[in-house]
Amino acid sequence: MSESLLELLAQRRGESFALHERYLNTQHARVLRTIGFDRRYVRAHGPYLWDDEGNRYLDLLSGYGVFAVGRNHPAIVAALREVLEGELPSLVQMDVSLLAGILAERLVPTFPGGLDKVFFCNSGAEAVEAAIKFARYATRREAIVYCEHAFHGLTMGAVSLNGDDIFQEGFGPMLPGCRRIPFNDLAALERALAQRDVAAFIVEPIQGHGVHVAAPEYLREAGRLCRQHGTLFVADEVQTGLGRTGRMWAVEHWHAEPDMILMAKALSGGFVPVGAVGMRKDTFDKLFSSMVRAPVHGSTFSKNNLAMAAGIATLRVLKEENLVEHAAKLGEGLISDLRALIDKHEFLHDVRGKGMMIALEFGQPKSLSLRAAWKLLETAQAGLFSQMITIPLFKNHRILSQVAGHGCNVVKFLPPLVISEEDRRWIRTSCDEVIADTHKVPGSIWDLGKTLAGHAIKARRAS
Ligand SMILES: Cc1ncc(COP(=O)(O)O)c(C=O)c1O
């Protein structure tokens, strides 16, 4: 007897946290329960999620940036249905995929700087791994330079390029030859490249962790220094790519021309894992230099029909709905709405970002009474204040957001590019109210702060 998935889900509704605590990542489930994010979502569309009580949530996390075109977009669903209902051959392996050829043909004209080849894989981290291998092979050098606070993924090569120690501790040794330099520091980059042993410099135009934006001259100059020293300049646009920052590729804001551009997340249409590396033919052809070498890098599932169809449909939706321009315009408006709150609220120090990648940075207030409360919280655990923003945003205003990294007081919004003017007002009003509440000491938000601090101290003692 065939089992209906929807019936199965209806029968087992309410068991997800218990199942995860038993069979999957127990700590993740515990964190969500502790901070009150344990909802039962039953439906999703565009930028919204609905729980089983009919409440609607605005999703400013978009699956870590996956849902650029919104959730369950009908055009992506239709493309995937066509693949499934068409009984198409996929992953023949001893064949080449037409869908992959078409997706590559449509991606190439969007790339800056004449990149004309595409390598497909299954995730952002795999795109990073591919970049490491292509760069090492093409240059016959070992070293890879990366930035402090960078995030490039969690596989062994990618994790070796992460700029926060928490991701590396206990997993060593890291890939040999990886060198960390400060972000936005051209002198440090020049020093790192000077030994002429660096295969690639990899950088996010806007760092996902902390949402640090490249300085105006940084990426162009970095590209120039790389060319001068025979190093490949790799832009990791896994998060920033495909319209998120209000340009198709974030590097366009800086008029920079990388030797490789990495993408994943949004290309999936939110459905099928996919990653890709755009690069020049000469780099590509060095690694795949002969027929014998045709299989030296690749992956079983890459170029599968569903992923390629999702990519093709995503590019079409971005274009037909003018989502890149929409992200630029609405994002600019939202950033200026939020910037206007800086003068009103002492805790809010900075609002930055581009398009639909936005950060609110909080810091020590001026007035003495607030400063004492801030210090108490930060002593318990650095970065705890930002949870006093994301938790009430979620519980009281039904906005899903995230803290932009370990130990930092930065709240990040990565909305689907499709959010509306009404959603913009929802965000502005909710942020205004939540941030205003943090200035009421004592108050309900600081009761939450005390609870969070208690958990943090207990966790520290236990470890
Ligand atoms: C800039 C960047 N690179 C790489 C990755 C890794 O991508 P994935 O999680 O698909 O492996 C991420 C994921 O967040 C990312 O933001």
Side-chain angles (χ1 to χ4, degrees):
M1 209 172 70
S2 75
E3 187 177 47
S4 150
L5 270 181
L6 291 183
E7 277 170 26
L8 180 64
L9 284 175
Q11 279 163 17
R12 307 285 305 266
R13 185 178 294 165
E15 291 183 50
S16 54
F17 276 80
L19 287 169
H20 278 253
E21 275 163 8
R22 179 150 187 203
Y23 297 112
L24 297 155
N25 187 336
T26 310
Q27 300 304 347
H28 182 56
R30 275 185 66 198
V31 167
L32 294 176
R33 270 193 205 278
T34 306
I35 62 177
F37 278 47
D38 48 341
R39 300 298 148 99
R40 294 189 288 225
Y41 299 107
V42 291
R43 194 163 86 78
H45 191 82
Y48 310 118
L49 293 159
W50 283 265
D51 68 17
D52 61 350
E53 291 170 4
N55 298 310
R56 184 174 67 135
Y57 297 79
L58 180 59
D59 174 16
L60 302 189
L61 186 52
S62 57
Y64 296 142
V66 161
F67 297 102
V69 299
R71 287 173 187 263
N72 293 317
H73 193 291
I76 318 281
V77 172
L80 297 178
R81 274 219 174 100
E82 273 190 80
V83 170
L84 293 173
E85 288 167 5
E87 290 194 20
L88 303 181
S90 186
L91 299 176
V92 176
Q93 311 293 13
M94 295 305 282
D95 186 23
V96 288
S97 151
L98 180 56
L99 282 175
I102 294 169
L103 178 55
E105 184 186 52
R106 294 187 182 178
L107 275 170
V108 161
T110 72
F111 294 154
L115 307 183
D116 49 5
K117 279 278 196 179
V118 182
F119 175 84
F120 284 116
C121 51
N122 304 293
S123 67
E126 274 191 25
V128 173
E129 300 292 337
I132 296 170
K133 288 179 74 178
F134 274 101
R136 281 185 163 182
Y137 201 87
T139 61
R140 295 306 172 105
R141 295 174 174 185
E142 181 185 285
I144 310 282
V145 172
Y146 67 100
C147 291
E148 284 172 7
H149 305 301
F151 186 82
H152 296 295
L154 297 175
T155 51
M156 212 50 237
V159 90
S160 304
L161 307 177
N162 279 352
D164 287 307
D165 292 340
I166 183 165
F167 294 108
Q168 299 185 336
E169 275 160 16
F171 295 115
M174 295 291 117
L175 205 63
C178 297
R179 282 184 216 144
R180 194 186 285 182
I181 58 167
F183 183 59
N184 272 336
D185 185 339
L186 287 165
L189 176 62
E190 190 160 21
R191 279 195 300 278
L193 301 181
Q195 296 165 44
R196 300 190 78 85
D197 62 347
V198 179
F201 169 52
I202 182 166
V203 66
E204 301 152 87
I206 302 177
Q207 293 191 317
H209 281 214
V211 193
H212 301 293
V213 182
E217 298 306 318
Y218 185 57
L219 296 177
R220 263 181 81 87
E221 264 307 288
R224 191 189 63 75
L225 287 172
C226 284
R227 270 184 292 283
Q228 191 183 324
H229 292 89
T231 295
L232 293 171
F233 175 38
V234 179
D236 182 345
E237 295 242 20
V238 166
Q239 190 158 141
T240 53
L242 295 146
R244 164 125 337 258
T245 69
R247 296 284 169 86
M248 185 65 176
W249 303 105
V251 286
E252 293 170 33
H253 290 286
W254 288 267
H255 306 287
E257 295 189 347
D259 299 303
M260 286 192 221
I261 195 157
L262 316 186
M263 68 213 76
K265 296 190 188 278
L267 192 62
S268 69
F271 282 96
V272 192
V274 63
V277 182
M279 70 188 94
R280 258 188 296 280
K281 187 173 177 322
D282 61 333
T283 314
F284 198 93
D285 287 352
K286 278 187 183 142
L287 190 139
F288 293 116
S289 57
S290 65
M291 284 198 271
V292 180
R293 292 190 53 78
V296 292
H297 191 54
S299 164
T300 302
F301 286 107
S302 77
K303 305 194 265 320
N304 74 79
N305 280 348
L306 286 171
M308 298 298 101
I312 291 169
T314 299
L315 291 184
R316 205 176 58 232
V317 170
L318 286 174
K319 194 167 170 189
E320 284 177 3
E321 297 184 12
N322 286 321
L323 289 182
V324 184
E325 296 76 12
H326 178 73
K329 195 159 166 270
L330 204 118
E332 201 181 308
L334 183 54
I335 290 170
S336 73
D337 288 349
L338 296 170
R339 278 208 178 117
L341 302 180
I342 295 176
D343 287 340
K344 271 178 85 178
H345 304 302
E346 284 184 58
F347 281 120
L348 181 59
H349 281 204
D350 190 24
V351 173
R352 57 178 178 264
K354 286 188 188 294
M356 295 289 168
M357 187 165 180
I358 301 171
L360 290 87
E361 177 150 19
F362 297 90
Q364 184 161 281
K366 286 203 182 81
S367 54
L368 281 178
S369 57
L370 292 181
R371 206 184 294 177
W374 165 269
K375 278 206 172 132
L376 222 62
L377 203 64
E378 286 300 291
T379 312
Q381 188 184 310
L384 221 48
F385 183 89
S386 51
Q387 292 188 29
M388 283 176 34
I389 303 292
T390 55
I391 294 174
L393 263 184
F394 181 71
K395 284 190 176 165
N396 306 339
H397 299 271
R398 301 204 181 103
I399 288 181
L400 184 61
S401 64
Q402 68 179 128
V403 175
H406 192 71
C408 71
N409 274 310
V410 179
V411 171
K412 176 159 96 171
F413 296 152
L414 279 185
L417 311 189
V418 297
I419 59 166
S420 64
E421 285 293 336
E422 189 197 327
D423 298 327
R424 173 180 157 190
R425 283 191 291 278
W426 183 349
I427 298 166
R428 182 184 53 207
T429 316
S430 307
C431 286
D432 194 11
E433 274 181 37
V434 166
I435 301 169
D437 281 349
T438 60
H439 293 71
K440 294 175 192 151
V441 188
S444 62
I445 289 209
W446 284 94
D447 291 342
L448 167 69
K450 266 190 232 153
T451 311
L452 292 172
H455 283 305
I457 290 165
K458 224 190 278 172
R460 206 166 48 214
R461 281 195 192 127
S463 68

